[in-house]
Amino acid sequence: MANKFMKNPIQNIAIWIISIIAIVPILLIVINAFKSAPEASSMNFNLPSELRFGNFSTVIEKGKLVHSFLNSITYSSLSSLFCILFSAMAAYVLSRNKTRFNRFIYFFMIMGIALPVNYFTLIDVMKWTELINTKAGIIVLYMVTQIPFSVFILYGFIGGVPKELDEAGVIDGCGPKRLFFSVIFPMLQPAAVTVFILSFLNTWNEFLLPLYYLNSANKWPMTLAVYNFFGQFQQSWNLVSADIILTILPVIIIYLLGQRFIISGMTSGSVKG
């Protein structure tokens, strides 16, 4: 370990600095979440005189976080599952049939990783399809915004799956659907879990899409619930901090549980692609 540090001292120092910069705001939020309102008014790093766990129960009750939490779970889970399904099917077809047209379609799809969303034009599309201010509509939006990166990951991973498996499945009498779901899709587990976790994290943290396309507070996810709570209790930094912790806690848990799959899936996808 010492030799590695000496070989790349600048790189290691830079990583430590970036890590500290990322951790400091989180530490500030955690400390102030357990303070009283007067103690948290200055938002400093002083430890609380008394740990006030009641801040979290207050936030859950006044911020209506249980309902918004269920909304976020529904939106993130369903959109991520649909994203895996459609992205895997598209990536399989494009990877196995590398014609010029399919190559164009692939690059056209992954352009969505970098291109921004035109929110105002999308409003007209959502009105025309009658999906605006609906739970189904926001799930569809979450799904399609995550498909480009998901196709990119899965396309590279499928490129490393031997074509002999396809041939063996066809010889055994598999049709196209059975071949994909019974033979190919189980082979995509590391990449599929990676896609699910990354899609879940991104949709859970999404703010602009529900802000523009969900007008009803009963349909808001936790990100908008935090925004609304901050507007009502912007002077109570202890409650705001507790609200933020409750919002990011599920994301941290999901990330820690799936970290191994994310690393293996991203590495395999990028190398095989």
Side-chain angles (χ1 to χ4, degrees), residues 127 132-134 210-220 224:
K127 288 181 179 178
I132 196 166
N133 196 34
T134 64
L211 178 65
Y212 285 144
Y213 305 112
L214 289 179
N215 301 324
S216 174
N218 291 329
K219 301 173 184 176
W220 281 358
L224 285 189

Side-chain angles (χ1 to χ4, degrees), residues 32-168:
N32 285 274
F34 294 94
K35 292 182 179 180
S36 62
E39 288 180 324
S41 59
S42 58
M43 284 294 287
N44 53 45
F45 287 96
N46 296 333
L47 296 177
S49 58
E50 180 184 355
L51 294 178
R52 298 181 180 269
F53 294 96
N55 291 340
F56 294 92
S57 59
T58 301
V59 166
I60 292 174
E61 180 183 354
K62 293 185 178 180
K64 300 179 180 179
L65 289 192
V66 173
H67 188 73
S68 60
F69 173 80
L70 294 176
N71 286 339
S72 289
I73 286 290
T74 302
Y75 300 154
S76 299
S77 300
L78 291 180
S79 63
S80 299
L81 289 174
F82 286 129
C83 179
I84 291 175
L85 178 62
F86 294 124
S87 298
M89 290 190 293
Y92 175 67
V93 172
L94 296 174
S95 178
R96 284 295 193 256
N97 302 283
K98 293 185 178 180
T99 62
R100 289 186 177 181
F101 179 74
N102 284 349
R103 195 71 175 170
F104 167 78
I105 294 297
Y106 169 69
F107 284 113
F108 182 78
M109 292 182 68
I110 65 174
M111 282 175 61
I113 298 174
L115 293 179
V117 177
N118 191 324
Y119 293 99
F120 299 103
T121 303
L122 192 55
I123 289 176
D124 293 333
V125 175
M126 295 292 288
K127 288 181 179 178
W128 179 70
T129 55
E130 297 184 357
L131 289 175
I132 196 166
N133 196 34
T134 64
K135 292 185 176 181
I138 200 66
I139 290 173
V140 170
L141 285 179
Y142 281 157
M143 178 189 68
V144 298
T145 54
Q146 300 302 317
I147 281 180
F149 185 73
S150 302
V151 169
F152 173 74
I153 294 296
L154 292 168
Y155 181 92
F157 195 89
I158 290 173
V161 177
K163 291 185 178 181
E164 288 76 11
L165 290 175
D166 301 43
E167 299 170 357

Side-chain angles (χ1 to χ4, degrees), residues 5 19 39-40 67 86 88 111 126 134 138 141 164 172 181 199 217 221 235 247 254 260 264 266 271:
F5 184 84
S19 300
E39 288 180 324
H67 188 73
F86 294 124
M111 282 175 61
M126 295 292 288
T134 64
I138 200 66
L141 285 179
E164 288 76 11
D172 289 339
F181 288 105
S199 176
Q235 302 301 325
T247 303
I254 293 292
R260 177 173 59 88
S264 62
M266 291 284 286
V271 172

Side-chain angles (χ1 to χ4, degrees), residues 1-9 12:
M1 293 295 293
N3 292 333
K4 289 184 178 181
F5 184 84
M6 293 303 295
K7 288 181 180 179
N8 300 299
N12 284 277

